[in-house]
């Protein structure tokens, strides 16, 4: 028989084994992935999502070689959009103007623009939108001219964007997740849903194409689950970076002064949605909502978080009447900052525009549920592992960004109320839509990593009306260009 000392030793060993077993069972899932082999998608340790404003695919890349762009025959467009004011049918045309007007782009305009699949309602909707104009100098409000929604830019107008497409990946079937405007689109970026909630209970929410935004009376109206809940639960770092901080209001414009002065400083509430989510506050994660200067600091230090979202202020956003050139130079500075960082070798930058802005596009959006998809927007993938010069024809939406994050950092966990630990009343799991392509196909994780591809923030351009001196032409400290 064992002596008492031996018995105590055996009991201690059994207890220790049980403790280790329980720790292993209850440990956050992220611990499993943190030490997993860094092959395939896991070579990407930094996902950077840059969200610009209000451009359709055809308005920027409609003539890009190899892409599904504006239908042409012998170099001339074979499509047009009727102008009910003149009876003419306006074909797409090259528009070199730096300052565009665009058209209305609420949920009420998406269906008429699509026009039952004819994709020819853009001019009529733009003319209707003029009834709401308050700034007579806005290009969208000049009644003596045709709306510029059928205008498109060419390579010489936006040379940096086309250079990224040639050197990395261009997506020509990326659709806005929701057939509505910027605010619900930004909700989809982080949560794959847009809803109104009766209370702070996640089960009280119902789908809404134009939901109620946060206000002083209801600072956290978004009760359903967003991706930061899962990132926090799995100990995955993230940051929500705001260009010049947060704007105090919902509004983008003051509508007075010069063009630069007309924009409200900072990121407006219609784009800055994360502070409105209940779970961000419950998880004490509001400190991850930061000024964009912190992004540049962390890029220089090589300490970027696993997931970053970058939101422009109005002036840098490309949201009409903001300048195309200013937005392109702003984006170039961000991309150059990542490429100058030691984090470049493990980064994937996803660049897109949040909705179509009323501009013409020829591809009929697929209908996946009552909320979307919306009209097509440009998408670029910039990474050392991106397939060089690749045009991706897969059907994609902003939900694909969430799925990529979930597959890379969360072991494939979805924003699924049945499995994510925080049930809500969302009608479907958007990341699991059968029609949704995989962003992994835009990468070749076996290739020799592509080196940094630095571009000057203010390249030579054929845009007309570019200010002199142009903003954003200097690079932040430590950033090469």
């Amino acid at each position: 028989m064992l002596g008492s000392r031996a018995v105590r030793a055996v009991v201690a060993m059994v207890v220790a084994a049980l403790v280790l077993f329980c720790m292993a069972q209850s440990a956050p899932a992220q611990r499993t992935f943190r030490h997993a082999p860094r092959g395939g998608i896991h070579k990407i340790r930094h996902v950077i999502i840059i969200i610009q404003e209000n451009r359709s695919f055809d308005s920027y890349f409609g003539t890009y070689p190899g892409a599904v762009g504006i239908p042409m025959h012998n170099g001339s467009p074979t499509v047009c959009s009727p102008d009910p004011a003149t009876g003419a049918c306006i074909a797409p045309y090259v528009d070199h103007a730096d300052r565009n007007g665009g058209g209305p782009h609420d949920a009420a305009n998406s269906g008429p623009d699509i026009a039952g699949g004819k994709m020819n309602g853009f001019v009529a909707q733009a003319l209707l939108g003029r009834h709401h104009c308050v700034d007579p100098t806005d290009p969208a409000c000049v009644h003596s001219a045709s709306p510029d929604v059928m205008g498109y830019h060419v390579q010489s107008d936006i040379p940096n964007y086309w250079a990224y497409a040639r050197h990395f990946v261009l997506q020509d079937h990326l659709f806005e997740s929701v057939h509505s405007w910027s605010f619900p689109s930004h909700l989809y970026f982080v949560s794959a849903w847009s809803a109104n909630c009766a209370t702070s209970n996640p089960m009280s929410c119902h789908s809404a194409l134009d939901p109620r935004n946060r206000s002083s009376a209801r600072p956290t109206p978004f009760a359903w689950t967003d991706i930061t809940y899962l990132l926090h639960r799995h100990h995955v770092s993230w940051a929500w970076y705001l260009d010049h901080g947060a704007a105090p209001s919902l509004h983008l414009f003051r509508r007075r002064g010069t063009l630069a002065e007309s924009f409200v400083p900072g990121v407006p509430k219609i784009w800055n949605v994360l502070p409105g989510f209940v779970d961000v506050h419950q998880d004490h994660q509001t400190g991850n909502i930061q000024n964009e200067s912190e992004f540049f600091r962390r890029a220089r230090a090589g300490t970027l978080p696993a997931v970053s979202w970058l939101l422009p202020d109005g002036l840098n956003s490309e949201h009409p009447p903001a300048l195309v050139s200013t937005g392109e130079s702003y984006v170039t500075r961000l991309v150059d900052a990542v490429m100058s960082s030691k984090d470049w070798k493990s980064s994937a930058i996803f660049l897109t525009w949040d909705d179509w802005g009323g501009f013409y596009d020829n591809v009929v959006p697929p209908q996946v549920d009552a909320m979307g998809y919306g009209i097509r927007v440009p998408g670029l993938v910039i990474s050392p592992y991106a397939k060089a010069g690749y045009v991706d024809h897969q059907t994609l939406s902003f939900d694909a960004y969430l799925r990529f994050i979930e597959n890379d950092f969360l072991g494939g966990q979805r924003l699924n109320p049945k499995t994510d630990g925080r049930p809500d009343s969302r009608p479907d799991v958007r990341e699991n839509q059968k029609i949704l392509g995989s962003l992994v196909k835009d990468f070749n994780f076996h290739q020799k990593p592509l080196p940094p591809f630095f571009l000057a923030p203010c390249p030579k351009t054929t845009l007309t009306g570019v200010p002199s001196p142009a903003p954003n032409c200097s690079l932040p400290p430590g950033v090469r260009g």
Side-chain angles (χ1 to χ4, degrees):
M1 294 188 55
L2 294 174
S4 59
R5 182 175 299 175
V7 169
R8 287 196 296 272
V10 170
V11 170
M13 291 173 63
V14 171
V15 170
L18 287 171
V19 169
L20 289 172
F21 175 78
C22 292
M23 289 176 63
Q25 295 301 304
S26 62
Q30 171 59 15
R31 298 185 186 279
T32 302
F33 310 127
R34 185 178 297 164
H35 303 293
R38 288 293 182 183
I41 190 176
H42 302 301
K43 288 186 176 182
I44 302 301
R45 298 195 291 275
H46 307 283
V47 171
I48 299 111
I49 301 171
I50 302 173
I51 306 170
Q52 292 295 100
E53 291 291 321
N54 291 47
R55 303 287 163 168
S56 70
F57 183 87
D58 279 343
S59 72
Y60 270 8
F61 293 98
T63 58
Y64 189 88
V68 177
I70 300 168
M72 301 270 192
H73 180 69
N74 294 330
S76 297
T78 59
V79 290
C80 62
S81 186
D83 183 341
T86 65
C89 199
I90 301 176
Y93 61 91
V94 177
D95 183 1
H96 294 299
D98 198 9
R99 187 184 185 195
N100 300 135
H105 47 279
D106 291 338
N109 310 113
S110 178
D113 276 354
I114 295 168
K118 297 178 183 177
M119 304 302 291
N120 67 356
F122 298 89
V123 174
Q125 288 298 297
L127 291 173
L128 285 174
R130 285 179 172 175
H131 296 304
H132 304 288
C133 284
V134 294
D135 179 5
T137 67
D138 186 331
C141 302
V142 180
H143 289 260
S144 62
S146 296
D148 65 2
V149 293
M150 299 303 290
Y152 63 89
H153 293 288
V154 292
Q155 177 180 359
S156 57
D157 289 342
I158 45 175
N160 284 9
Y161 286 153
W162 277 54
Y164 290 139
R166 290 196 313 272
H167 201 75
F168 299 104
V169 175
L170 174 67
Q171 299 159 332
D172 71 356
H173 277 73
L174 173 64
F175 299 91
E176 183 189 356
S177 290
V178 56
H179 48 83
S180 192
W181 65 300
S182 292
F183 168 43
S185 181
H186 280 72
L187 292 172
Y188 265 87
F189 269 109
V190 294
S191 73
W193 198 24
S194 170
N196 280 323
C197 304
T199 69
S200 59
N201 182 343
M203 299 304 295
S204 72
C205 305
H206 302 279
S207 298
L209 288 170
D210 195 3
R212 293 184 296 271
N213 207 333
R214 59 194 176 103
S215 63
S216 56
R218 281 196 80 190
T220 54
F222 315 137
W224 68 97
T225 307
D226 74 87
I227 192 67
T228 69
Y229 166 79
L230 289 174
L231 295 176
H232 172 68
R233 185 182 182 189
H234 291 276
H235 305 285
V236 178
S237 59
W238 64 270
W240 179 259
Y241 293 115
L242 303 174
D243 181 19
H244 297 102
S249 72
L250 298 172
H251 303 293
L252 184 60
F253 308 112
R254 291 196 187 98
R255 297 293 190 186
R256 66 176 184 267
T258 66
L259 179 62
E261 293 168 345
S262 67
F263 288 97
V264 175
V267 179
K269 287 183 180 180
I270 55 174
W271 306 339
N272 182 22
V273 297
L274 266 185
F277 277 90
V278 170
D279 57 16
V280 174
H281 294 266
Q282 289 177 337
D283 293 338
H284 307 290
Q285 293 291 287
T286 56
N288 292 350
I289 300 169
Q290 301 172 348
N291 193 293
E292 196 173 84
S293 59
E294 180 66 9
F295 167 78
F296 286 109
R297 187 195 70 78
R298 295 194 67 171
R300 289 194 300 271
T303 59
L304 288 173
V307 181
S308 301
W309 290 271
L310 289 151
L311 288 300
D313 68 3
L315 189 66
N316 289 328
S317 68
E318 296 164 70
H319 187 299
L323 302 180
V324 173
S325 63
T326 302
E328 184 185 50
S329 60
Y330 159 78
V331 168
T332 303
R333 293 171 82 244
L334 298 177
V335 175
D336 281 348
V338 178
M339 291 181 174
S340 298
S341 172
K342 65 181 181 181
D343 288 333
W344 162 249
K345 61 182 181 292
S346 55
S347 291
I349 301 170
F350 298 108
L351 167 61
T352 192
W353 288 256
D354 72 341
D355 67 51
W356 81 109
F359 290 103
Y360 172 77
D361 195 79
N362 82 92
V363 174
V364 181
Q367 189 75 21
V368 298
D369 58 20
M371 301 290 283
Y373 297 145
I375 292 173
R376 192 173 62 146
V377 295
L380 291 162
V381 181
I382 302 168
S383 172
Y385 296 101
K387 295 178 180 177
Y390 179 62
V391 179
D392 182 357
H393 303 304
Q394 295 181 96
T395 297
L396 298 166
S397 74
F398 305 149
D399 309 316
Y401 299 150
L402 293 173
R403 187 163 78 177
F404 189 92
I405 291 167
E406 292 161 350
N407 288 346
D408 193 1
F409 301 113
L410 304 175
Q413 173 65 59
R414 301 286 182 245
L415 283 167
N416 185 338
K418 294 181 180 179
T419 62
D420 63 17
R422 191 177 185 273
D424 60 31
S425 51
R426 67 183 63 222
D428 52 10
V429 180
R430 267 300 190 87
E431 306 96 297
N432 285 341
Q433 287 284 350
K434 292 181 179 179
I435 197 173
L436 185 66
S438 172
L439 291 175
V440 172
K441 294 183 180 180
D442 291 339
F443 297 84
N444 179 359
F445 293 113
H446 300 290
Q447 72 184 18
K448 181 180 178 180
L450 300 174
F453 181 66
F454 295 109
L455 295 173
C458 291
K460 183 179 179 181
T461 179
T462 51
L463 290 170
T464 59
V466 178
S468 181
N472 297 326
C473 290
S474 61
L475 291 165
V479 177
R480 294 174 58 189

